[in-house]
Amino acid sequence: MEDMEESQVEKKHKNLAESSIRSHRAADPPICSECKELDLSFFDPTCLGCRDLLKNPHTTVAEIFAIIRQWVPQTQQNIDILVEEILNRGININDRDGLTDMNLLHYVAKSGAIGMGDIKVSSKVARMLIDKRIDVNAKCRWTDMTPLHLAVYFDIEEVVKILLEASSSYDVDCRCKEFDNGTALHIGCMNLSAKSVKVLLEYGSSPYAQNSLGKLPIQCIPNVELGENTSEAEHLALALKNELTTAMKNTDPNIEKQKLNLATLHALGLEMHEKVTVAGKVGILRYCGSTNFASGQWAGIELDKPLGKNDGSINGFRYFSCPPDHGIFAPLTRVNKYNKNCVARFSLPDSLSSVSTDIQLGDRVIVAGKNIGHARYIGPTEFASGSWIGVELIDPVGKNNGTVAGTQYFQCEPKHGVFAPRSKVQLANFNISEDLDLNEDSLTESTRTTHKKSSPKLHSMLPKPKVANLDRTLGVQLNFTLTVGMSVFVNNEMGVVRFIGRVDFADDIWLGVELRKPNGKNDGTVEGKKYFSCKPLHGLMVRPSKATCRGINCAQLIDLKFR
């Protein structure tokens, strides 16, 4: 009975911890009657009437987010009171404002702007939110900005330091699409954020990073010509150029290639702050890089349960923070992406898999026991030590197109390339064509030879699909089919399915997708026939195989009635 009660308590806590992150719908800020009579157009936290409204339990989280959105000194200088009221309503720490898609740390990161907020207050609240495990690296979908980007944009030096310390400087060069895919250093130079630029350089930001226009941070500083009446902005620009020039002299131009941790993560199909497994234990990846206790690249993981060895620090050096006995370190190559629904149908016992370790270029292989493709590169890489295998995957579940950190190792379609150490790659030397419907036209000559020499014994050991709707790459039985209204990823864009069916302009089944941005081809009409309606240039017609839904190729999710 006691074991059962403990299990139920543990389950309850787990459910609370994994409660879904909400996006609170847009609302208008409440204003008290006294402020209305004075024709004030904003909520004033210093007003007793407005303060009573704030304390009223009927005032919603969405309304408080609306108050925080008000860019006036009264709200920004009292950000601590507003955040406290939101947290008192029991939200998930990472909940977002539905209008801006920003979480509380986004707002706090900019609340200390000079002339608007209070730097001490914003710093205090930022530390409190980080202690509560808010996502330091969260990106706003609309601006692609993280809290660090915002703090640098508004040149809030103290908050920049707090954010970089919280992430162990891992995100110091995180890029932002809104600023030509530049780093925080590019943003700081554009906006003459001299104090923040100095902090970024101190914490390891690269002065040699290039944005999508090929510009270095120093090239983003506004041009100035010092004259008799030199403005403060011109002095700041000159000071920034001197700062960046000095930094470039003292920094190796190949610093981007020296930062191996991010490239290695991508090559392994991993991301920071995502759920991973190591040695049968589950946790969140909190650190990646070199350490003081051993050579090579290591992963620091915050485990779900107290089965670890530390709190994220070893020998007095802190790599990340977590509760005692929840931290563990492991070589990066031993860490795997977590997927609770994934059944490793193709991972074989060591006694069987060891019979085929001599992988050659063109061989059909299995990566990490689940993804199937062909070996396209074998050898050393610039992003990590040791020998690696570059694989062209059959389905778009990879991380690259054969290029990592600017170096091309082989060529393939985007998201079809992945790199893995030899220990995670096995020859697919058994007949899987019945389960996978492999296209023989896509196989190389060496692959066809391997395919013909398949082992009936090994094939008989693999379970057959029980349902038609099966993800053939992961061996996962899917519990959903693609329907109109679902979100999909196509052409590196997010969109919503508006049409599924046959079309007049081509054979087979096609999808009609409404994109979020005007990067499409039409308004849902092709060759005079309307398949769905959307804004001009927001519509796109694609084959299901060109889109993914929840990371799964849409061709796998089409209901049989459409075939």
Side-chain angles (χ1 to χ4, degrees):
M1 177 65 78
E2 290 182 0
D3 291 341
M4 183 180 296
E5 289 177 353
E6 290 178 358
S7 176
Q8 290 174 345
V9 171
E10 182 179 330
K11 184 177 181 181
K12 179 179 179 181
H13 285 298
K14 182 178 180 181
N15 291 338
L16 287 173
E18 297 180 353
S19 58
S20 60
I21 299 173
R22 290 185 57 195
S23 179
H24 297 269
R25 63 178 179 78
D28 293 325
I31 301 177
C32 73
S33 57
E34 290 86 349
C35 288
K36 287 182 180 179
E37 290 177 1
L38 295 173
D39 291 330
L40 296 180
S41 60
F42 60 89
F43 179 98
D44 185 356
T46 63
C47 166
L48 293 179
C50 287
R51 188 71 69 91
D52 289 340
L53 274 179
L54 184 62
K55 298 290 184 180
N56 191 324
H58 295 295
T59 300
T60 66
V61 170
E63 289 175 318
I64 303 177
F65 266 124
I67 296 171
I68 294 177
R69 284 200 304 267
Q70 296 177 134
W71 194 240
V72 294
Q74 288 87 338
T75 56
Q76 301 310 304
Q77 292 172 10
N78 290 278
I79 192 74
D80 53 340
I81 298 172
L82 300 172
V83 169
E84 180 184 5
E85 283 301 321
I86 284 184
L87 296 179
N88 285 342
R89 283 157 174 77
I91 71 161
N92 184 307
I93 191 67
N94 288 303
D95 275 7
R96 300 200 177 204
D97 172 23
L99 184 65
T100 63
D101 194 52
M102 290 164 56
N103 68 13
L104 290 173
L105 192 56
H106 281 99
Y107 283 114
V108 170
K110 69 172 189 172
S111 66
I114 296 175
M116 188 63 65
D118 186 321
I119 295 177
K120 291 183 179 179
V121 173
S122 61
S123 300
K124 179 188 70 174
V125 180
R127 288 192 179 93
M128 180 269 290
L129 292 174
I130 291 170
D131 288 342
K132 291 181 178 294
R133 307 295 172 80
I134 197 167
D135 187 356
V136 179
N137 306 105
K139 280 198 168 188
C140 168
R141 285 178 295 173
W142 314 136
T143 65
D144 199 47
M145 297 180 79
T146 65
L148 177 63
H149 291 145
L150 286 166
V152 171
Y153 184 93
F154 289 99
D155 200 15
I156 310 174
E157 175 188 17
E158 184 63 28
V159 175
V160 172
K161 287 182 180 179
I162 292 170
L163 295 171
L164 290 174
E165 289 171 359
S167 67
S168 300
S169 300
Y170 181 82
D171 60 344
V172 67
D173 282 334
C174 178
R175 295 180 178 272
C176 181
K177 294 178 183 177
E178 189 75 9
F179 290 87
D180 300 318
N181 208 37
T183 65
L185 196 57
H186 286 90
I187 296 174
C189 289
M190 288 180 192
N191 291 278
L192 300 179
S193 302
K195 295 179 181 178
S196 294
V197 164
K198 186 174 182 179
V199 173
L200 289 169
L201 292 172
E202 289 174 355
Y203 279 75
S205 184
S206 171
Y208 287 100
Q210 294 183 343
N211 62 16
S212 58
L213 302 179
K215 289 186 175 182
L216 301 175
I218 194 172
Q219 295 171 314
C220 294
I221 300 172
N223 291 325
V224 297
E225 294 183 5
L226 295 178
E228 294 182 2
N229 299 315
T230 305
S231 68
E232 182 182 355
E234 290 169 331
H235 278 300
L236 285 174
L238 182 61
L240 276 175
K241 285 189 176 181
N242 292 335
E243 189 86 41
L244 268 294
T245 300
T246 302
M248 294 173 74
K249 289 180 180 178
N250 298 329
T251 304
D252 188 334
N254 296 316
I255 190 66
E256 290 298 295
K257 291 185 179 180
Q258 292 177 2
K259 292 183 177 180
L260 304 180
N261 49 8
L262 186 58
T264 306
L265 272 183
H266 288 171
L268 290 169
L270 300 173
E271 298 286 347
M272 287 297 294
H273 310 295
E274 74 171 356
K275 213 165 190 178
V276 296
T277 59
V278 58
K281 300 173 182 177
V282 179
I284 304 296
L285 183 60
R286 298 298 189 195
Y287 176 82
C288 168
S290 59
T291 66
N292 293 335
F293 57 80
S295 60
Q297 292 212 313
W298 288 73
I301 299 165
E302 179 182 354
L303 298 176
D304 289 349
K305 298 179 180 180
L307 302 174
K309 302 291 186 181
N310 52 64
D311 62 352
S313 62
I314 293 183
N315 297 331
F317 188 87
R318 180 164 297 283
Y319 298 92
F320 64 97
S321 296
C322 69
D325 297 327
H326 281 71
I328 189 173
F329 286 84
L332 189 57
T333 53
R334 295 179 60 185
V335 180
N336 291 298
K337 192 181 186 75
Y338 174 80
N339 189 331
K340 65 180 180 180
N341 295 319
C342 181
V343 182
R345 297 172 60 221
F346 303 111
S347 58
L348 304 176
D350 292 340
S351 59
L352 295 175
S353 61
S354 61
V355 301
S356 56
T357 58
D358 187 17
I359 297 174
Q360 304 294 324
L361 289 177
D363 283 348
R364 186 170 71 247
V365 295
I366 299 171
V367 183
K370 53 187 177 182
N371 295 327
I372 295 180
H374 303 100
R376 300 301 189 204
Y377 175 85
I378 302 175
T381 66
E382 293 185 12
F383 59 78
S385 59
S387 182
W388 289 66
I389 298 179
V391 180
E392 179 181 4
L393 300 175
I394 293 176
D395 286 329
V397 293
K399 287 291 179 180
N400 52 61
N401 63 351
T403 298
V404 177
T407 301
Q408 185 178 62
Y409 298 92
F410 64 94
Q411 288 184 320
C412 67
E413 292 295 317
K415 292 191 174 294
H416 283 258
V418 70
F419 284 81
R422 281 179 174 269
S423 60
K424 290 196 174 185
V425 183
Q426 297 173 337
L427 270 176
N429 61 344
F430 47 85
N431 190 348
I432 53 177
S433 61
E434 293 180 20
D435 289 339
L436 297 175
D437 296 331
L438 292 179
N439 182 355
E440 284 288 329
D441 294 336
S442 68
L443 304 182
T444 61
E445 188 61 36
S446 62
T447 306
R448 289 193 184 94
T449 303
T450 304
H451 185 63
K452 292 176 182 177
K453 294 180 181 180
S454 58
S455 168
K457 180 179 179 181
L458 292 181
H459 178 256
S460 64
M461 296 176 63
L462 298 174
K464 298 290 184 181
K466 295 183 179 180
V467 292
N469 190 22
L470 183 77
D471 181 346
R472 301 182 186 280
T473 304
L474 300 179
V476 179
Q477 293 184 11
L478 307 174
N479 58 5
F480 71 97
T481 56
L482 189 69
T483 59
V484 171
M486 282 188 171
S487 295
V488 293
F489 191 75
V490 57
N491 287 1
N492 292 320
E493 295 274 352
M494 288 299 298
V496 177
V497 177
R498 299 301 186 196
F499 170 84
I500 305 176
R502 297 190 177 277
V503 296
D504 293 343
F505 56 84
D507 296 327
D508 215 340
I509 305 301
W510 284 66
L511 303 181
V513 180
E514 180 181 3
L515 300 176
R516 291 180 177 175
K517 299 180 180 180
N519 295 327
K521 300 290 186 181
N522 51 59
D523 64 350
T525 301
V526 179
E527 295 181 357
K529 181 173 180 178
K530 182 170 287 294
Y531 295 93
F532 65 98
S533 296
C534 68
K535 295 178 182 179
L537 298 181
H538 282 70
L540 190 66
M541 302 294 292
V542 295
R543 295 185 184 274
S545 60
K546 299 297 183 181
T548 59
C549 179
R550 304 181 193 174
I552 302 170
N553 192 302
C554 289
Q556 313 279 355
L557 303 174
I558 299 297
D559 195 292
L560 293 176
K561 69 181 180 181
F562 290 109
R563 300 184 186 277

